[in-house]
Amino acid sequence: MTQPPHPSRCASHLLPRGEKDGIDRRALLAAPLAVGTLAGCDRLAVAEPTPPTVPPLKSIAPFPIGTAVMAGHFDDPAWVALARAQVNQLTPEWEMKMEYILQSLDRLTFDAPDRIAAACEREGVRLHGHALIWYSQGEQAFSGFDRTHFGRAFDRYIAEVAGRYRGKLVSWDVVNEPIAEDGNGLRDSHWSRNLGDDGYMIRAFEQAKLADPEAVLFVNDYNLENNPVKGTTFLRTVERLLKAGAPIGGLGTQSHLDIEIPAGQISRFMRDLGSFGLPVHMSELDASLRRERGGDFRSRAQRLEQQRARVVELAEAFMALPERQRFAFTIWGLRDSDSWLRRDNRDDGKDQPLLFDDAGRAKPLTAAVAEVFGRG
C-alpha cells in the first residue's frame, strides 16, 4: 500500500503511499463511495480514443478474476452489471475487517459482511475473506489483558468470525501486512507484543485452520514487488513460519504497483514467491498514475505507458506460475472512481489506477491484460 497505501491498509491497508504520505485509509474507506460519477474534464486534454472491445476478463483468464467490494456497491446497478460481466471472486474491501466487525469483545457486527457473503452465494461467485488479524486494528478492544486472557480473546475472535463464514468462503487473509514498512523486519504491534513476533502469526493460522479447515489460509502484504528489501523479508518470514508448522496455505501480494520501478523487478519477485509451491493471490492490484514524491513532469502518455508496462509484467509473471499456483487475480476496485486512491482530498479526479474507467468502459490497459490472459 513510497507506494500507495494499500487498501488493507485500505482503511485498512493503505500503507504504501498512504501511510508514508499521511493518507488516512480509515477515513477514505469510511467516506461515501464515489459511485458512477464522471470526473471533470481537463480542458486541455485531447479527446479520448474509442474504448477497446475486450472480452469479459473472467471468460478468458484461466483462473478467477476478483475485485474489492463494499456492501453499498450492490445498490449501484451499473457496478453490479460490470461485476457480473467481469469477475467471479469478491473480496470485502473493509467490512470484513476487525475495525468494522469488532464493536467490543462482547459485540460483533456482521450486517455488511453477511450481505456480501449472501450476494456471493446468490451470484455463484467465490468469496475471499479479508482480513482476520491486521496490525492496525483491535488494540483498544484488546487492551488491559494479561497474556493468558489476551490469547483467549484472540482465539475467540478468530473462531467466531472464521467459523461464521465456514463453507461460505474459499479463503482468508489470516495475517495482513506483518512486515515493517521499510522492509527491515516485522512490524511492532499489540499482537506481537503480547503473543510474540512469529507467535501471533502461527497462532492465528492455527486458530483459523480449526475454525475453517477447508479454507485456503493466506499471509498477505504490500510493496513486495516495489521494495526488494520488503519482498525478501516477506519470503524469509514465510519460510520461517512454515518451518515452525504454521498451516499457511497461500501467499498474497497486494500489488499496489509503483509504475516507476525498474523493468524485471516484478518478475524476479514473482519467481521467488512461486518457489514455495503455494497458491499465489494477486490480491489488491492497482497502479496509480500519480507520483507521491517530488515534481512530476511526465506527460500523461508517458505515465500510461509506464503503467501498462508494469501491469503487463505483473500479469505475465502471474501467468508464468504453474497453473495450480494461480489462485486468483484481484483488482482493487472495478472502475477508476471506485478506487480508494480517488477518495482523498488531494485527488483531482484524473488518476486512473484500475482497468475500467469511471463509466465502466475497458481501457487500452484492459486490452493489454486480456491479451496476456488469453495466451493461456
Side-chain angles (χ1 to χ4, degrees):
M1 59 293 296
T2 102
Q3 319 333 315
H6 54 220
S8 280
R9 260 171 291 227
C10 213
S12 86
H13 79 206
L14 281 97
L15 269 178
R17 279 174 204 182
E19 292 190 2
K20 273 201 160 184
D21 299 310
I23 297 175
D24 184 343
R25 279 206 178 209
R26 295 183 187 80
L28 298 185
L29 288 177
L33 291 168
V35 173
T37 58
L38 293 174
C41 296
D42 183 344
R43 286 175 291 180
L44 300 179
V46 297
E48 291 292 327
T50 302
T53 300
V54 180
L57 294 177
K58 71 177 185 180
S59 72
I60 57 174
F63 39 76
I65 297 294
T67 195
V69 63
M70 299 279 272
H73 281 130
F74 299 127
D75 299 322
D76 175 16
W79 185 93
V80 170
L82 186 61
R84 280 177 173 157
Q86 298 293 338
V87 306
N88 45 16
Q89 178 173 299
L90 295 179
T91 301
E93 184 174 356
W94 175 57
E95 292 155 324
M96 204 172 265
K97 292 188 172 82
M98 187 178 286
E99 186 177 54
Y100 183 88
I101 291 175
L102 185 64
Q103 305 301 305
S104 71
L105 289 178
D106 297 319
R107 187 164 68 92
L108 306 184
T109 297
F110 292 106
D111 56 335
D114 280 357
R115 186 181 181 194
I116 294 171
C120 287
E121 184 176 11
R122 183 174 63 250
E123 297 291 337
V125 302
R126 305 199 319 177
L127 174 61
H128 174 71
H130 177 74
L132 286 173
I133 298 298
W134 186 40
Y135 76 90
S136 179
Q137 298 178 351
E139 184 168 10
Q140 182 175 357
F142 280 79
S143 65
F145 292 113
D146 61 28
R147 183 184 178 90
T148 298
H149 288 87
F150 187 99
R152 289 174 181 170
F154 181 90
D155 296 348
R156 186 171 66 251
Y157 177 83
I158 294 174
E160 290 190 27
V161 177
R164 184 182 187 88
Y165 297 103
R166 178 172 179 170
K168 297 181 181 180
L169 48 67
V170 297
S171 49
W172 270 107
D173 287 329
V174 175
V175 174
N176 193 48
E177 301 172 8
I179 309 302
E181 174 71 13
D182 63 5
N184 290 308
L186 300 175
R187 288 185 185 276
D188 173 70
S189 70
H190 50 296
W191 310 122
S192 64
R193 291 191 293 272
N194 283 276
L195 300 175
D197 287 343
D198 288 355
Y200 87 89
M201 293 187 277
I202 295 169
R203 188 165 182 157
F205 277 99
E206 291 173 341
Q207 294 301 313
K209 188 70 172 178
L210 289 172
D212 191 348
E214 300 303 316
V216 183
L217 306 180
F218 283 82
V219 56
N220 185 56
D221 217 317
Y222 67 94
N223 275 1
L224 304 180
E225 304 94 343
N226 298 332
N227 180 351
V229 173
K230 189 168 186 178
T232 297
T233 301
F234 180 83
L235 298 171
R236 290 174 177 169
T237 300
V238 170
E239 183 177 27
R240 191 172 63 249
L241 295 176
L242 289 170
K243 286 182 177 178
I248 297 172
L251 308 176
T253 178
Q254 292 175 16
S255 301
H256 298 285
L257 296 181
D258 179 349
I259 63 176
E260 297 184 73
I261 62 176
Q265 189 165 300
I266 292 170
S267 300
R268 286 189 293 274
F269 173 74
M270 287 296 296
R271 285 193 294 270
D272 291 340
L273 192 66
S275 68
F276 288 97
L278 293 172
V280 172
H281 186 192
M282 316 305 303
S283 61
E284 301 179 22
L285 170 65
D286 51 36
S288 178
L289 298 177
R290 298 186 304 200
R291 177 183 289 166
E292 298 294 340
R293 56 207 178 277
D296 191 351
F297 302 101
R298 296 169 297 166
S299 68
R300 182 171 178 273
Q302 288 173 319
R303 288 179 285 141
L304 289 171
E305 174 52 29
Q306 288 177 316
Q307 181 191 60
R308 185 205 63 78
R310 295 292 72 75
V311 174
V312 165
E313 182 181 346
L314 181 75
E316 290 177 336
F318 190 69
M319 287 288 290
L321 293 170
E323 182 178 357
R324 64 182 176 80
Q325 288 186 255
R326 297 186 306 224
F327 182 79
F329 195 95
T330 292
I331 304 138
W332 208 242
L334 280 175
R335 304 163 298 193
D336 289 326
S337 55
D338 297 319
S339 174
W340 64 273
L341 292 166
R342 294 275 295 270
R343 293 180 202 160
D344 68 279
N345 293 330
R346 299 177 306 154
D347 182 48
D348 58 6
K350 297 175 186 176
D351 199 5
Q352 299 176 320
L354 301 176
L355 298 190
F356 297 90
D357 69 13
D358 292 359
R361 297 170 300 193
K363 301 188 287 190
L365 177 62
T366 323
V369 170
E371 192 277 327
V372 174
F373 291 166
R375 299 172 194 167

